[in-house]
Amino acid sequence: MENITLIEKAGGVEFTRMIVAGAAGIDAQRQLVNELNVFPVPDGDTGTNMSLSLGAAATELKKTAYPEVGRVAEVAAAALLRGARGNSGVILSLLFRGIAAHLKGKETMDGADWADALQNGTEMSYRAVMKPTEGTMLTAFRVSAASAAEAAAEQPALEHVLDATLQSAEIALAETIHQNPVLERAGVIDAGAKGYCIILENMLAALQGRDTTVAPQDGARSVLDPANFSNYTAQDIKYNYCTEFIVEHRKKKDPLRLRALLESLGDSLVMVDDEEIIKIHVHTNHPGKVLEEALTYGPLTAIKIENMREQHSEQVIKQEGKEAERQDGASTGAPAVVPIVRHYGFVVVCAGAGLGEVFRDLGADQIINGGQTMNPSTEDILHAINQTPAEVVIVLPNNKNIILAAEQCVPLSSRQVVVVPTKTIPQGVAAMLAFETARAVSDNKEAMQTAARGVSTGQITYAARDSQFDGSTISAGDHIALTDHGLVCNHPDRAHAARYLAQELALSQPSFVTIFYGEGVSEEEAERTANVFAECCEGAELQVIDGGQPVYYYLVSAE
C-alpha cells in the first residue's frame, strides 16, 4: 500500500458511517455466525446477539449527525451498553466503551488514535471478564489491537491501520479452533471472533467508500454448529458485604493491580476506570481491606457498604418517589421508574405463559419474555428492574447467555440489583422456592444459589440441522435429550428420547420431579411421559405443568 494514497483520518460523519456499516454487515451475516455454534439446538446465539447489540448503536447514530469522532464513540458506546444482548453483545459493548473513553474530546481519528482506542477497549473487555478464555472474541480483540499498534508505528494513516487490524483479526480467528478444546473437537472457529471480523471488514469498506451491502450468506458449516462461551461470570461464592465507592484517581498506580486484589477478595465485581476516577462495586467479606487498598490510589467518595440487610437511604427513596412515572413507550426511551413500596422484588426471564404463571405464583413482579432464541437486552432487563416497586430487585436470568447482560444492570439502576446466576428454568424455580422475605439479602442470595445448584435439569428439544457432536451423528429434526452434563441421546422418536432422559435423571435418585411441557406437546403425551418418569424415578413425587415454552418440548427438574 506504500504507493497508494491512503485515507489519513476520519471525522464524526465518517466514523458514524463505519459503525453503521459494521452493524449492517453483522446483521446480514448473523445466521452464518449463528451456525458456527458447536451444538445444533435452535439458539439465536452469537450472531443475533452481536447484530442486535451493534444495531442499537447504529439506530441511535442515525438520529443525529455528530461532527466529532469522540461524540460518535460516546453515543455508540452508551447505546451499545443498553442494547447489549447475550455475552457476545455485552463484551462488544465493553470494547466500544473503551474505544469511546480514549476518543473522548477528539474531533478526528487517525490510525494511531484508532490503535490506542482499540487497545483501551480490549483492556476494558478483558477486565470485565473474571476468567478470560483464549480462543474467543477476546483473543481476536487482543491480537488485532497489538497489530494495530505496530501498523500505526509504521504508517499512522487510518486506512492502513484499520486494514492491519482486520488482517490480524482474521489470523486470530483462524487460530481459535486450536485454542479452545470445545472448538477443536467440533472443528470450528469461534463465532464471536468471526462476528468481530465481519464488523471490521464492513467498517474498513465504509471508510474506503466501497459498497458495504452484504447479501445474507447460507450456512458455511454443514456439520458443525453452536459455540456457547457464555460463562463470563463470577463464580458462585459466599460474600456478605455489597461495597460501592468512587476513587479519585490522583496517584499514578496501575488500576489493574487493584482489580486483581478485588477479584481475590470478592465477586460480582464491576470496575470502571478512566483518567480521573475509578468506580467500584464488589461483594466481599472484607470491605475494610478493599477500602484500605483503594485509598492508596486516591481519596474515596460516595462510599456505600451494606451487609445486604440495610435499606437504601431515605434520600434515594424520596428521589425515586419524585422521579417515579409510568412512561411505557415514552418518546425519550428512558425506562420508567416506579415508587418503592417494599423491600424485595423479582425480575424473571422465561418464555411460555405457563412458566410465567409459575413464577408469578412464586412472587415474580416482572416477567421478561425471553430465553433461548430471544435473549433480552440489558435495556430490557433494566426497564423491568425499574418497574419493580422494591428496594432490592433480585434478577433470575434462567439462561447462561443472559447472565452477563443482567449483571450490567447492577451499576445502572438506583435499585440494589442482585443477580442470582440461574442457568435454567428449573434452577430459577428452585431459587425462588428457597427465598424468604425475613432473610437478609446476602443470606437469600446464598440460599437461592445453593438451591439452584441442587437441581438437575433435563431438556428435550430438536436438532435445527445436521451435525456431528462428540462422536454422535445428529440429523435435523432429531429429538435431543440433554442434562446439565451434556447430550444424553438423539433420536427421531420423542418418547424414546424422554425415556433415555428419565433413566439418566433417575441415577441421582431424586425425591421430586417436575415436568414442564411446552409447545407441540399435548396433555395426553405429557401424561404418558410422566408415567415413564414415574417408572424410572421410583418413589419420587411427580408434578406435571403446562409451561407453554417454545423450543423445548420438555423442561424437567429433578431434586
Side-chain angles (χ1 to χ4, degrees), residues 139-425:
T139 304
F141 292 173
R142 176 176 54 77
V143 172
S144 63
S147 293
E150 293 176 2
E154 299 169 355
Q155 163 58 270
L158 178 58
E159 183 180 359
H160 171 69
V161 177
L162 189 55
D163 182 66
T165 304
L166 172 60
Q167 290 186 40
S168 59
E170 290 177 335
I171 292 172
L173 170 66
E175 289 298 313
T176 58
I177 189 172
H178 305 300
Q179 294 173 319
N180 188 291
V182 175
L183 295 179
E184 191 159 30
R185 282 201 308 273
V188 291
I189 52 179
D190 178 66
K194 175 62 176 177
Y196 174 59
C197 289
I198 291 171
I199 291 168
L200 288 177
E201 179 183 8
N202 283 270
M203 290 178 69
L204 177 61
L207 177 66
Q208 295 171 333
R210 293 187 283 113
D211 182 10
T212 59
T213 303
V214 182
Q217 299 186 17
D218 295 330
R221 296 289 182 270
S222 59
V223 296
L224 303 168
D225 316 27
N228 255 330
F229 294 104
S230 48
N231 290 321
Y232 298 114
T233 59
Q235 296 177 348
D236 298 335
I237 309 175
K238 308 171 186 176
Y239 294 108
N240 295 326
Y241 295 93
C242 176
T243 306
E244 298 180 8
F245 58 93
I246 294 174
V247 184
E248 295 181 12
H249 198 187
R250 297 181 182 178
K251 302 181 180 179
K252 297 186 180 299
K253 293 187 65 175
D254 186 355
L256 290 179
R257 292 178 54 192
L258 177 59
R259 181 177 183 87
L261 176 67
L262 296 180
E263 288 177 347
S264 71
L265 291 176
D267 73 352
S268 298
L269 174 62
V270 177
M271 177 172 165
V272 181
D273 64 270
D274 58 29
E275 295 179 356
E276 298 179 356
I277 66 167
I278 306 173
K279 185 175 181 180
I280 292 168
H281 167 281
V282 66
H283 292 176
T284 179
N285 287 329
H286 305 286
K289 290 182 180 179
V290 169
L291 296 178
E292 184 178 359
E293 178 63 22
L295 275 169
T296 66
Y297 287 74
L300 308 184
T301 61
I303 300 172
K304 183 178 72 173
I305 301 175
E306 297 179 347
N307 71 347
M308 313 290 196
R309 292 182 177 87
E310 299 177 1
Q311 301 179 350
H312 276 280
S313 67
E314 292 183 6
Q315 181 179 2
V316 172
I317 295 174
K318 290 178 180 178
Q319 180 182 2
E320 289 187 344
K322 293 177 182 178
E323 295 176 351
E325 207 174 31
R326 293 186 179 272
Q327 299 176 357
D328 292 332
S331 59
T332 61
V337 181
V338 300
I340 291 174
V341 298
R342 62 179 184 276
H343 188 54
Y344 281 115
F346 287 91
V347 169
V348 175
V349 181
C350 70
L355 292 180
E357 286 303 312
V358 168
F359 281 110
R360 287 195 186 280
D361 289 345
L362 291 173
D365 295 272
Q366 297 290 323
I367 303 293
I368 301 174
N369 187 34
Q372 297 296 78
T373 77
M374 45 182 174
N375 297 154
S377 67
T378 298
E379 179 77 9
D380 295 332
I381 300 170
L382 182 62
H383 178 80
I385 290 169
N386 289 338
Q387 282 287 297
T388 302
E391 298 172 74
V392 180
V393 180
I394 298 175
V395 181
L396 300 177
N398 296 334
N399 185 297
K400 63 182 181 179
N401 204 36
I402 300 173
I403 295 172
L404 192 55
E407 289 177 338
Q408 302 309 301
C409 295
V410 174
L412 296 178
S413 177
S414 55
R415 310 296 209 234
Q416 181 182 342
V417 179
V418 177
V419 179
V420 177
T422 50
K423 298 179 181 179
T424 66
I425 292 295

Side-chain angles (χ1 to χ4, degrees), residues 474-487:
I474 301 175
S475 300
D478 273 0
H479 292 88
I480 302 174
L482 306 162
T483 67
D484 299 319
H485 305 294
L487 177 68

Side-chain angles (χ1 to χ4, degrees), residues 39-222:
F39 203 67
V41 297
D43 287 353
D45 215 46
T46 307
T48 299
N49 288 335
M50 294 181 76
S51 170
L52 292 173
S53 300
L54 192 57
T59 298
E60 193 64 30
L61 288 173
K62 289 176 183 177
K63 295 178 181 179
T64 306
Y66 301 101
E68 308 90 2
V69 293
R71 181 62 178 146
V72 170
E74 180 185 3
V75 171
L80 240 170
L81 177 60
R82 290 186 174 272
R85 296 172 186 262
N87 296 295
S88 57
V90 173
I91 293 171
L92 185 65
S93 76
L94 290 165
L95 176 74
F96 272 83
R97 188 176 179 183
I99 289 172
H102 183 79
L103 294 178
K104 184 177 181 179
K106 290 185 179 293
E107 294 186 3
T108 61
M109 168 181 68
D110 64 8
D113 295 323
W114 167 255
D116 290 342
L118 185 61
Q119 181 61 38
N120 196 50
T122 298
E123 291 172 359
M124 183 168 288
S125 301
Y126 267 89
R127 287 197 300 268
V129 178
M130 186 71 77
K131 294 185 177 180
T133 302
E134 289 304 311
T136 67
M137 60 195 300
L138 289 171
T139 304
F141 292 173
R142 176 176 54 77
V143 172
S144 63
S147 293
E150 293 176 2
E154 299 169 355
Q155 163 58 270
L158 178 58
E159 183 180 359
H160 171 69
V161 177
L162 189 55
D163 182 66
T165 304
L166 172 60
Q167 290 186 40
S168 59
E170 290 177 335
I171 292 172
L173 170 66
E175 289 298 313
T176 58
I177 189 172
H178 305 300
Q179 294 173 319
N180 188 291
V182 175
L183 295 179
E184 191 159 30
R185 282 201 308 273
V188 291
I189 52 179
D190 178 66
K194 175 62 176 177
Y196 174 59
C197 289
I198 291 171
I199 291 168
L200 288 177
E201 179 183 8
N202 283 270
M203 290 178 69
L204 177 61
L207 177 66
Q208 295 171 333
R210 293 187 283 113
D211 182 10
T212 59
T213 303
V214 182
Q217 299 186 17
D218 295 330
R221 296 289 182 270
S222 59

